[in-house]
Amino acid sequence: MSGLDITPRPGAGKQLITSYGDGGFKISGKRYEGSLLVFPNRTHPWPVVTLGDVSLDSLMPVTRTEEGVRLLIVGCGRQFSPTPLAMQQALFKLGVALEWMDTGAACRTYNVLVLEGREVAAALLAVN
């Protein structure tokens, strides 16, 4: 019996997160170390190590992009932590909705939204 390949494929130039852990991520076949800012078409190092390092300033590259990011998913590490309300409100005023979840859920959610063609970015805290 031949099967039907149902592996999701992103559009041209779009990237998916294929794994996380061991202090980094694999995105569209390339390994990255440390925390990252991930956009549908590019990836940048994110200079945060702990949840305490996450600030509105550290997230500003997302609001300064020409890509029109409307939703930012923050992967806050291994465990869920409550969303900082002030950060959520400040980003909302800039036109960006904030979703805060553990890093694994953030990776999965980002992939689904990229496949749907949404204007999304992810700020992912690396986990070991």
Side-chain angles (χ1 to χ4, degrees), residues 48-120:
V48 301
V49 177
T50 68
L51 188 56
D53 297 332
V54 179
S55 67
L56 189 56
D57 284 342
S58 77
L59 296 173
M60 282 297 108
V62 173
T63 64
R64 293 185 186 129
T65 180
E66 299 90 39
E67 292 157 66
V69 173
R70 297 290 171 240
L71 176 60
L72 172 62
I73 301 165
V74 174
C76 63
R78 286 210 175 276
Q79 301 292 322
F80 174 77
S81 170
T83 306
L85 185 58
M87 188 179 301
Q88 185 175 32
Q89 291 171 338
L91 285 169
F92 185 76
K93 286 179 183 176
L94 296 171
V96 179
L98 177 65
E99 291 293 330
W100 196 270
M101 56 193 74
D102 69 74
T103 294
C107 291
R108 293 184 297 275
T109 302
Y110 167 86
N111 284 347
V112 169
L113 295 173
V114 165
L115 290 168
E116 289 177 354
R118 302 277 301 274
E119 297 168 325
V120 64

